[in-house]
Amino acid sequence: MPHTLGLTKPNSTDHPKISFAAKEIDVTEWKGDLLVVGVTEKDLTKDDGSKFENPILNKLDAHTSGLLALVSSEEDFTGKPGQSTVLRLPGLATKRIGLIGLGKPASSSSSSPAAFHSLGEGVANVSKASQSSTVAVALASPESESKLSSASALASGVVLGLFEDGRYKSESKKPSLSSVDIIGFGTGPEVEKKLKYAEDVSYGVIFGRELINSPANVLTPAVLAEEAAKVASTYSDVFTANILNEEQCKELKMGSYLAVAAASANPPFFIHLVYKPKSGDVKTKLALVGKGLTFDSGGYNIKTGPGCSIELMKFDMGGSAAVLGAAKAIGEIKPPGVEVHFIVAACENMISGTGMRPGDVITASNGKTIEVNNTDAEGRLTLADALVYACNQGVDKIVDLATLTGACVIALGTSVAGIYTPNDELAKEVIAASEKSGEKLWRMPLEESYWEMMKSGCADMVNTGGRAGGSITAALFLKQFVSEKVQWMHIDMAGPVWNEKKKSGTGFGVATLVEWVQTNSSS
């Protein structure tokens, strides 16, 4: 098998399942390893007698005979965002108490999903550092509104904050955290359901991260297809898988996709998973299409020079990781009333005597011809045939995700993905989903006049229009392969796919896609 190159096999990982519980109890009575309190800068205000004005902090301080107030000021803890301190003080039922800063109070930023997500990540970090297994989280100033979405963001922050990818290290530590009590966010079935949803989505994000982090000598197109098939067999009550090989793709006339795959010793696989609810009518059919380049050398226009990031091109299947991570989460959540097609044209862009050359003309499955003026604008060539295929499934709406252009990273940086759609309704839907998930999207113009740059002398179009507006011309290229009857959006996620600081894939896109599928379901 080609995927044993370098004899590297990932270690198997069991993701520790954390049990979350929503409770309404007095924080001073909570027993366990670590009680974490989220505090704003205002919560730390003290009266003339150096006592906390905040009732919860005051109560905790009284139990520690004033040590909490004293030590937190000695530690220079001011409640700035992300700041944390863990103290071991006598007088409390908990072994340790941790304070995590939330920044300024009650501004939209300190009560946004992103703020609670980072509080959750902070909880994961302090629990790792103190090797705590039972943890509780509360706020010094409890939430009055949006308790559900705050609890959900908090839980997902904890799960994702704990994640460390040790599959390719000879030794890796297992986190000790086993249970988290979320105090003061309400109790009952609604909160429990929301926490379960947050967990399901987070494990989908982790699956996406693991796919991205796997090196190209391990995660070949065949292995990506195997991973997709595994998702379908795990949730076989609602999923079916159809994996097409090269011959089957030839029968479907996928000349654009197969031209990209032609140079590699690792054959291409076209992945198509279908989610159908177990019962009830299907009201809406959706397709999620992800770019699946398991490695991108650039082809004959090889990536060279500083900043070309060729060594990171395992992440060029980040779009497919978002799609398959979403599939895993949807298999757990099982939304009613919606059918979802998950589509990935997986391959590698390599260099060999059989590879496509600059100047070649290739024919996509809808009959349109493309002059390849740059073999490193290959993602759009694979997506062209994937989009035609998606439209042929009779879907109402398509969202495609791709690490498509460096131009988008120049425009929007590494935290924000660019979105393109001719449809305002679809833009509203997906943006609303991203506001719930905390992922950042920015709508970009589909400037039709730029299509002039994509005209070819000998074919219907070229595959790249030069430097100006590069992510716009890429989106206009994709639009040529989408039926006018279908609502379509393209997400260019080349920036947020990778976290440089953590040297890890982010799993960007999973949470927004799952939210979007939920809004289209009848639940």
Side-chain angles (χ1 to χ4, degrees):
M1 287 289 284
H3 67 267
T4 51
L5 174 70
L7 305 182
T8 303
K9 288 211 166 74
N11 304 323
S12 65
T13 48
D14 296 326
H15 295 299
K17 282 281 188 203
I18 303 158
S19 65
F20 285 95
K23 296 188 173 169
E24 289 290 346
I25 54 169
D26 184 333
V27 287
T28 57
E29 288 167 18
W30 183 82
K31 286 185 179 64
D33 294 334
L34 172 67
L35 168 69
V36 179
V37 184
V39 290
T40 64
E41 291 171 38
K42 183 170 178 260
D43 292 332
L44 292 169
T45 314
K46 297 192 178 90
D47 63 18
D48 299 340
S50 301
K51 293 271 180 273
F52 288 116
E53 289 179 4
N54 176 281
I56 289 179
L57 291 180
N58 190 6
K59 199 170 187 183
L60 287 163
D61 192 40
H63 277 261
T64 63
S65 313
L67 278 173
L68 183 61
L70 186 68
V71 179
S72 63
S73 59
E74 280 175 5
E75 291 271 322
D76 197 26
F77 180 81
T78 57
K80 286 196 165 53
Q83 201 185 18
S84 67
T85 182
V86 174
L87 310 166
R88 192 159 190 162
L89 299 173
L92 289 167
T94 176
K95 231 191 260 182
R96 290 184 175 84
I97 181 163
L99 302 177
I100 295 183
L102 296 171
K104 302 242 184 301
S107 66
S108 57
S109 64
S110 71
S111 58
S112 68
F116 283 98
H117 195 278
S118 43
L119 173 60
E121 284 190 340
V123 170
N125 292 335
V126 293
S127 77
K128 268 191 262 195
S130 60
Q131 294 183 322
S132 303
S133 73
T134 54
V135 173
V137 197
L139 299 179
S141 301
E143 272 282 90
S144 50
E145 297 149 26
S146 61
K147 282 185 180 181
L148 280 180
S149 56
S150 303
S152 163
L154 181 60
S156 73
V158 172
V159 175
L160 296 174
L162 269 191
F163 170 73
E164 279 177 29
D165 197 345
R167 292 169 304 150
Y168 298 98
K169 292 181 175 170
S170 52
E171 287 174 22
S172 65
K173 294 197 296 286
K174 294 267 183 284
S176 52
L177 186 60
S178 64
S179 74
V180 178
D181 290 343
I182 296 180
I183 299 173
F185 287 80
T187 56
E190 215 181 338
V191 193
E192 302 291 340
K193 190 179 168 198
K194 199 74 177 154
L195 292 177
K196 170 80 170 71
Y197 174 82
E199 279 183 86
D200 292 340
V201 173
S202 300
Y203 289 113
V205 174
I206 286 173
F207 178 51
R209 286 181 181 180
E210 288 182 329
L211 290 174
I212 294 167
N213 290 346
S214 285
N217 63 325
V218 176
L219 190 87
T220 58
V223 175
L224 188 62
E226 271 169 37
E227 289 293 339
K230 261 186 230 164
V231 171
S233 62
T234 306
Y235 305 106
S236 56
D237 56 335
V238 286
F239 266 101
T240 49
N242 185 19
I243 311 288
L244 309 179
N245 63 22
E246 193 168 358
E247 280 310 307
Q248 292 165 297
C249 292
K250 275 184 189 159
E251 283 167 28
L252 292 172
K253 300 189 166 49
M254 295 183 177
S256 186
Y257 161 48
L258 293 174
V260 178
S264 177
N266 288 313
F269 286 92
F270 191 94
I271 299 163
H272 178 204
L273 305 184
V274 186
Y275 165 84
K276 281 186 181 157
K278 276 192 287 200
S279 59
D281 294 343
V282 167
K283 294 185 178 62
T284 314
K285 291 186 183 181
L286 309 175
L288 304 178
V289 178
K291 175 179 167 185
L293 266 292
T294 57
F295 185 75
D296 176 21
S297 70
Y300 278 108
N301 293 98
I302 191 167
K303 293 177 187 286
T304 54
C308 74
S309 303
I310 191 169
E311 73 288 355
L312 282 177
M313 282 304 126
K314 64 178 183 180
F315 76 38
D316 211 21
M317 38 58 68
S320 68
V323 165
L324 296 176
K328 180 178 161 53
I330 284 162
E332 284 285 345
I333 295 160
K334 304 189 196 330
V338 64
E339 178 178 307
V340 193
H341 296 259
F342 302 83
I343 294 167
V344 177
C347 65
E348 288 184 322
N349 187 23
M350 300 294 277
I351 298 174
S352 78
T354 60
M356 67 177 175
R357 292 146 291 231
D360 283 358
V361 173
I362 58 182
T363 306
S365 45
N366 63 348
K368 291 194 178 176
T369 57
I370 304 153
E371 181 186 0
V372 179
N373 60 2
N374 187 333
T375 60
D376 192 22
E378 85 301 331
R380 63 198 68 180
L381 298 176
T382 66
L383 286 166
D385 284 327
L387 288 167
V388 172
Y389 182 93
C391 291
N392 289 340
Q393 305 311 306
V395 298
D396 307 303
K397 304 173 192 182
I398 297 176
V399 171
D400 81 67
L401 300 94
T403 47
L404 209 64
T405 66
C408 204
V409 188
I410 302 301
L412 297 174
T414 54
S415 298
V416 185
I419 61 172
Y420 293 89
T421 177
N423 188 284
D424 293 343
E425 275 310 302
L426 184 57
K428 275 197 198 100
E429 272 181 26
V430 178
I431 288 166
S434 76
E435 281 165 359
K436 283 188 185 170
S437 74
E439 293 179 321
K440 292 177 182 169
L441 304 178
W442 189 258
R443 191 175 181 185
M444 302 277 276
L446 261 176
E447 178 51 57
E448 289 290 343
S449 66
Y450 291 1
W451 185 247
E452 278 303 308
M453 291 189 260
M454 303 294 284
K455 296 282 170 66
S456 157
C458 65
D460 294 336
M461 64 193 91
V462 288
N463 71 325
T464 166
R467 288 178 67 80
S471 90
I472 301 176
T473 49
L476 289 170
F477 178 90
L478 296 179
K479 188 166 174 270
Q480 310 305 307
F481 301 91
V482 180
S483 153
E484 289 189 355
K485 296 197 283 281
V486 178
Q487 293 184 26
W488 160 76
M489 174 185 283
H490 160 59
I491 301 181
D492 192 333
M493 51 177 278
V497 68
W498 187 254
N499 182 325
E500 188 46 52
K501 196 167 144 205
K502 293 181 180 165
K503 301 200 174 344
S504 165
T506 57
F508 182 92
V510 173
T512 299
L513 291 180
V514 178
E515 276 294 343
W516 179 63
V517 170
Q518 284 282 91
T519 48
N520 278 279
S521 102
S522 55
S523 62

